[in-house]
Every structure is written in structure tokens, then in C-alpha cells.
Amino acid sequence: VMIALVAAVTLFGRVLPTWTLSLATVAASNALIALGIVVLARTGNVSFGQGLFFAAGGYGVALIANAWGLTDAVAQVIIGAACGGLLGLIIGPLIARYSGIFFGMLTLALSMVFYGALVKSTALGGSDGFNVGRPTLFGLSFADPREADFMLYAVSIIVTGFAGIGATFLFRSEFGLASLAVRENNLRVEYLGISANRIISINFVIAAIFAGASGAFALMAQRHIDPQFAYWTT
């Protein structure tokens, strides 16, 4: 049923007005990063700095696209997810020992440090950022702007939809239930021989992967990236 719903929403893009396709792509991108925050929140922690991974995914894709001429939309999503995930893998275990407001403020601080570094980096375009080319799909380029927008819309809906399906299975798994247990009482989880920090770290990495992929979609929709991707309001 969930797969059929994803297919229906994807095909619905064929009857949407052209101006809404880009907007819908950004909406799907926002849904993906929000889903990652939901995954993390199941452990009782909320990140106020997902812009860090959102920007990491976007900048990683933009740099590789301009340096190597990589324009494939699917490859860019994978690269964005990988950039976010790798950064989350580094940061996650370091802040998993914190909780509550300390966890949230640390993520916010890290995001703003990254934002400041991007603004000062002339190699990355400074506060103005830089542009990237129009994405392709499996070697196919789309001269018609509507077809290009629909392609990106379809990819974003499919990726976000299947991420939602995957998250549903995750929530129902033993790991997902253990995440809820960590939220309720992480000390008792430790008494059961389960590492609460490990569970938080894994959820943190999953959220970072979703944020990185979201950043890739936002980049492809706008074809421009700047430090605002990492700003706290974002």
C-alpha cells in the first residue's frame, strides 16, 4: 500500500502546474530531513543543527559536480547522503553522551561553526556561494524545463517515500523499540546490557544521512548553494 502511494504521488506530478514541481521537490526535501529528526527524537534527543549535515550534503555534491562533471541526480543523492552520514559518524559518538538541552545546543553550535567557516571560505564562494549545472538522470539530459523539473520531483518523491517506508520498518524493529526505551530511561537500558550511547549514535547517523540527501535535493532544485544552508534558522 505504501509503495502504491509513493507511485501515485509520483505520477500525480504529471498533472501539477510547472511552477509547483520545483516547490514540491523542496517540500519532499524538507520532509526527508524532518523524518531524520523524528528518527533521532525517538531517543529523546532533538538536533537544532541539522543544517550542518544539510549543508555538508549540498556542498559535497556541488564540489564533486563542478570538479568531475557528475550531474546524475541519483548519484548526487547518494553522494549527499554519504557526506552527511560520514560527518554524522564522526560527530555522533562524541555528543551521544549528552542529552536534553546540552545535546541540542551542541548540535546548534557545530552548525554555526560550520556556517562561519563557509562564509569565510573564498574557495567555496564565501557568503555568495556558487552555482551548479542542471542535473541529469542515467545519462539523459532534459532540454524541456518541465521535464527536468518533473524528473527531479519524481526522484525526490521516490527517495523520500522509500525513506519513510524504511523508517516505518525501523520503528517497528527491536532497535526501534530500544530507541524508545532509551528515551524513557537510558539507565535501565544500560542495566539490560544495551549501550544507550550506541543507539543514540546510530539514530544520529541515520538523521545525518537523511539530512545530507535532503541537501542534495535542495541543491539540485535551486542549482545554487551558499552558507545559508548551514544557518540555524534553516
Side-chain angles (χ1 to χ4, degrees), residues 84-111:
L86 287 173
L87 193 56
L89 197 61
I90 296 170
I91 296 174
L94 300 177
I95 68 171
R97 68 192 69 179
Y98 300 97
S99 61
I101 193 64
F102 302 103
F103 186 95
M105 289 298 101
L106 274 173
T107 57
L108 177 61
L110 289 171
S111 179

Side-chain angles (χ1 to χ4, degrees), residues 198-209:
R198 178 174 172 271
I199 291 175
I200 294 172
S201 297
I202 293 174
N203 281 276
F204 189 85
V205 171
I206 294 172
I209 290 172

